[in-house]
Amino acid sequence: MDWQGQKVVEQLMQILLVISGVVAVVVGYATESFRAMMLIYAGGVVLATLFTVPNWPFYNHHPLKWLDPSEAEKHPKPQVVAKKRFSKK
């Protein structure tokens, strides 16, 4: 899954959970049934899980291009330079 796919998955999960939560509360209130509300919300969670947890191919439209190891050896890694601390006099 690429970065764009992760963004889509996160948005899809949030949308599905909010919609299922709103529908569950409305139906639970209308039918005065806590059980119906919980079952509808649980169904929404299961549906969101089925859409978001597996690595579906349509979440990988923008694959990352990794650098070949032989090419990476040609370019040295950047070195961390320690900053000098100036003391107050």
Side-chain angles (χ1 to χ4, degrees):
M1 185 179 303
D2 58 18
W3 295 105
Q4 313 306 8
Q6 288 179 7
K7 182 178 177 182
V8 169
V9 164
E10 172 121 13
Q11 290 173 343
L12 180 64
M13 177 201 60
Q14 290 175 356
I15 290 169
L16 288 173
L17 290 178
V18 167
I19 289 173
S20 67
V22 169
V23 169
V25 168
V26 169
V27 170
Y29 183 78
T31 61
E32 298 179 358
S33 172
F34 185 75
R35 182 172 187 258
M37 181 184 71
M38 293 306 293
L39 288 174
I40 291 171
Y41 186 69
V45 169
V46 169
L47 183 68
T49 302
L50 290 175
F51 274 111
T52 59
V53 171
N55 189 12
W56 297 106
F58 53 87
Y59 294 139
N60 199 17
H61 285 296
H62 308 284
L64 296 174
K65 293 181 177 31
W66 293 90
L67 190 61
D68 291 330
S70 61
E71 189 68 27
E73 292 173 0
K74 294 178 186 177
H75 304 287
K77 294 181 182 177
Q79 300 296 321
V80 177
V81 178
K83 294 182 179 180
K84 286 187 176 181
R85 298 184 120 187
F86 294 103
S87 62
K88 294 182 181 180
K89 292 184 180 181

